[in-house]
Amino acid sequence: MLTDHILSLSIWVPILAGVLVLILGDDSRACFTRWVALLGSLAGFAVTLPLYLLFDLNSGIQFLEIANWIPAFNINYMLGADGFSVPLILLTSFTTVIAVVASWESITDNIAQYMAAFLIMSGLMIGVFSALDAILYYVFWEAMLIPMFLVIGVWGGPNRVYATIKFFLYTLIGSLLMLVAFIYLYHKTGSFHIIDYYKVPLSMEEQIYIFAAFFMAFAVKIPMWPVHTWLPDAHVEAPTAGSVVLAAVMLKLGGYSFLRFAMPIAPDASHYLTGFMITLSLIAILYIAFVALVQKDMKKLIAYSSISHMGFVTLGFFLFSQLGLEGGVVQMISHGFISAAMFLCVGVLYDRMHSRQIADYGGVANTMPIFTGFVVLFAMANSGLPGTSGFVGEFMVILASVKHNFWVAFVAASTLIIGASYSLWMVKRVFYGEVANDKVSALKALNKREFTLLSVLALFTLGIGVYPDVITELTQATSTQFLNHMAVSKLPAVGM
Amino acid sequence: MDTINTDLFISLPEITLLCMAMLILIVDLFLNKQNRLIIYGLAQVTLFVGAYLVWGTHNATVEYAYSGLFVDDPLSDVLKLATLIGASVMLVYTRHYMMLRNMFSGEYYSLLLFAVVGIMVMISGKNMLTIYMGLELLSLCTYALVALDRDNAHATEAAMKYFVLGALASGMLLYGMSMIYGVTGNLDLGRISNGLNQMQMQRPDFVKDPVLVLGLVFIVAGLAFKLGAIPFHMWVPDVYQGSPTAITIMIGSIPKFAGFAMAIRLLVQGLDTMFADWQQMLLIMAVLSIAIGNITAIAQTNLKRMLAYSTISHIGFLLLGLMSASLNGFTSSMFYVCAYVLMSLTGFGMILLLSRKGHEAEQLSDLAGLNKRSPWTAFLMLITMFSMAGVPPTIGFYAKFAVLQAALQAGFVWVVVFAVVMAAIGAFYYLRVIKIMYFDQPEDEAPIDAPLDMRLVLSANVMALLLIGLMPQGLMALCAKAIFFTLKGG
């Protein structure tokens, strides 16, 4: 039955579509190539929908698939999804459609390779979200770097080589240490099955080392302060769709992986290091928000705001409460839509003006009124206005942190003001005031494609803002299970 | 069957190759330049027949020939088959290159076949003298091959360096062997192992005997030289860079099978009693090779020299597996050597593919903008580079993974952490190659001039990197079986 292989289909349909685009596509048939890619991404999105429709709200990991892969090391092709991964898988396949449509006109050379890179990346990222075998997960996690490396390096901005190599090496060094942790756990348990890792007792020292290895891999990916410096570079140089995928999905891989690996495998170390993690999250939230305030480049500003928002995710996770955990997950999804929309908006401007400098703009509202409406909505959502999805996640995390410690909540909440400042100040400088120059007065209004893209994203942003249960009902059972697991110590009993 | 027949039957592949190599020398005399392709065809047929014979006589038992001088076990079957296939692939890659440079001659093919015989004898040597004979056959042919292009000053210099240092290393190896012989009174590796075990039983501190330890040091040094591990690596970059690329591919690929087999025979089957000593030596060499190989490669602008340093770091990983001193570790090393040979064949094959008459594509800048000139070729190089860097889903990842898990099982956690950090540093220079191919503008717009068979085989070779990367179980199980039956079943 096909329904038994939903996750496999979600992974392989976009990858095969990508290969198909590579074979069929060519710059001389640009339009055809784009349509094949769009159909491929839509097919990829369609096959993930059953995950939402057939999801059993009362159980944890489901849609299991298992097959022998490398028996020599007891490595299996094992897939499964729970309340944490299903929303992220849907976000991934949805973002791929957005990415393909977003690069419809702006990419004119090597179209087939470009589109194929996004499709293949989509399948690999879904693989990361659904793998239940550590090596399978690792293969997807690393393989995903290759298309992104090429996307930034081939179609990126002037400083693309520096940015893409930095992106690759930062991620690689962290993930190789994670591989060592996996091998260590393999010799401990005799398998690479993640669920076996959850059960194995580990001493505090082992847990701290394992947590540290995972931390290196995931903190870089999220990214947390102080290993965040690759992100602004990568974002600035990446083409629009590259930034969209990077912000909307790739950062979430780190957050998701904390829930899947670092925390449940080393629960005692996680509790022990709570203070450390919360401090880093708060630094990201507050300090990086200030950094965002002074940026002159719009993409850099949004990149820093992403880091600041991802701080809420890690903060929510390490509060160890249902509210914080679900808030973190909601924040991941909501940030996926909002950051994608923000980068698309910058892309819309960049396609017309070929500049991302705030200083080059001014009074865009006079020539692009509808577009300005969208931007104001997304900027509001970015700063956490009630009624938008940005509010829900942050509010849940702040509520949870009040229970934990008033001052943590105070620092976290203060960023709502700074967030509003940098978002709205940018909007003010770019969109309002006098028309800055002739180029701005010559701006063309949104075309149908751009309008549709932004409307769909606006719909999701408002939809989740008004009815966040769409996500929280998915995560409820899983987060309860997760917290129950986290509450039990894994330290070996004394005297054994 | 009487003994002499059994002996001949067991060594039939080697005998066939030897006869054919001599036949080629003679046939070459009667051929004019236009008909030289016959020689190429003969050499290919010889390799195929050899491979068929190895395949036809393989079984899961250990058989001895020539009073124990020569052994036919699963390990030797697998390695010989791999050697012959590798040699055949190499001939496809080098034909066009040799023709364009007036080096397409009978000597090349007969020397190459003699070298292959040397490798096969080393793989099957169960006696220190057999191993040494095989090694010398291989080395002498290689020295001559490096100097094949007489008028090329760089190649002559490389040959001279290689010969002097190689002779020194052979001397060290022989000296070490003589010391071991002096202590044990045996040249047969199985008897040496038994003898040492018995002596250790009587006197537990026997393995600390200075003569024995010194002998081991010399053997390990000779071995390290042949493999190109630090600190015996000085010849590797110079010889790799100086030799014509068609010879570099030969030095950089299949002889590593012989090096691996030699390490297994000498250290594991012969001197297993002293594993605590050689484990430490291999550990130091492995760590140094991985570190210095990767870091030095970053500074290179010559592709061949860069690949030479990358080879040194790969040898470090290979030693890391051997150093683990467990069946698991030897299996992972064997997998690594197979993966390495596949990767180096494609790496140097790519240089051969891009070279044309009067132009050696051996500078990194020669690859600039390759994606614009030929997307498929660039893609093949991309896979090769990611495989060498150990990024999944390529064979290079599983090779590193297997070795690292073996070293971790042996308890060397921090060595493994160090190795992965170095691997990440090493990723930089592989990424730079990809950067040059994909992100830079082409300097050289000439069309790629290579025959169809070479393109096809090279593509198949790279696809093997990817497919074995996706499905590594087959090769992994084969290596495990070969090692298990050879070391435990016999």
Side-chain angles (χ1 to χ4, degrees), chain A residues 32-209:
Chain A
F32 170 73
T33 311
R34 291 180 183 126
W35 276 104
V36 174
L38 179 62
L39 287 177
S41 65
L42 284 172
F45 181 54
V47 290
T48 54
L49 284 177
L51 288 176
Y52 182 75
L53 300 173
L54 302 176
F55 191 80
D56 176 2
L57 294 177
N58 299 315
S59 69
I61 294 176
Q62 39 202 300
F63 306 111
L64 280 175
E65 284 175 47
I66 183 161
N68 268 343
W69 183 24
I70 313 173
F73 292 113
N74 198 3
I75 297 172
N76 294 304
Y77 176 80
M78 184 160 186
L79 302 173
D82 61 8
F84 295 146
S85 40
V86 166
L88 289 164
I89 292 174
L90 285 161
L91 177 70
T92 310
S93 59
F94 173 75
T95 309
T96 309
V97 181
I98 298 282
V100 168
V101 180
S103 12
W104 204 259
E105 283 145 16
S106 53
I107 300 297
T108 49
D109 57 326
N110 295 331
I111 302 166
Q113 288 186 4
Y114 182 87
M115 295 293 184
F118 279 100
L119 287 168
I120 292 172
M121 196 153 45
S122 161
L124 296 173
M125 289 188 299
I126 292 174
V128 172
F129 287 130
S130 51
L132 286 184
D133 182 283
I135 293 300
L136 185 66
Y137 165 89
Y138 186 82
V139 168
F140 283 129
W141 171 276
E142 289 273 278
M144 165 192 85
L145 294 178
I146 301 176
M148 196 41 139
F149 174 75
L150 293 176
V151 164
I152 300 177
V154 178
W155 295 273
N159 199 17
R160 58 189 195 272
V161 173
Y162 169 78
T164 195
I165 290 188
K166 191 172 178 183
F167 157 75
F168 197 99
L169 289 183
Y170 258 66
T171 318
L172 185 71
I173 222 166
S175 34
L176 279 167
L177 291 171
M178 168 172 79
L179 179 66
V180 177
F182 284 151
I183 298 175
Y184 185 86
L185 287 165
Y186 163 65
H187 285 307
K188 203 91 188 170
T189 60
S191 96
F192 280 105
H193 187 11
I194 295 171
I195 308 299
D196 289 346
Y197 291 176
Y198 290 179
K199 294 175 194 147
V200 64
L202 294 164
S203 73
M204 196 61 173
E205 195 192 352
E206 286 174 313
Q207 286 198 25
I208 287 179
Y209 277 122

Side-chain angles (χ1 to χ4, degrees), chain B residues 99-113:
Chain B
M99 276 176 160
L100 290 179
R101 280 161 188 75
N102 288 328
M103 284 154 69
F104 189 69
S105 56
E107 301 94 271
Y108 171 66
Y109 290 101
S110 53
L111 279 173
L112 204 126
L113 287 180

Side-chain angles (χ1 to χ4, degrees), chain A residues 347-407:
Chain A
V348 166
L349 286 177
Y350 184 80
D351 284 347
R352 289 169 171 72
M353 298 265 292
H354 296 284
S355 165
R356 292 182 305 260
Q357 299 301 319
I358 295 175
D360 289 349
Y361 292 88
V364 176
N366 297 317
T367 40
M368 300 177 78
I370 299 174
F371 176 59
T372 308
F374 278 118
V375 174
V376 170
L377 168 69
F378 292 127
M380 292 289 189
N382 200 33
S383 48
L385 185 83
T388 62
S389 64
F391 172 73
V392 182
E394 289 180 16
F395 187 65
M396 287 167 86
V397 173
I398 292 172
L399 270 188
S401 51
V402 172
K403 281 184 200 154
H404 178 80
N405 178 323
F406 171 75
W407 290 107

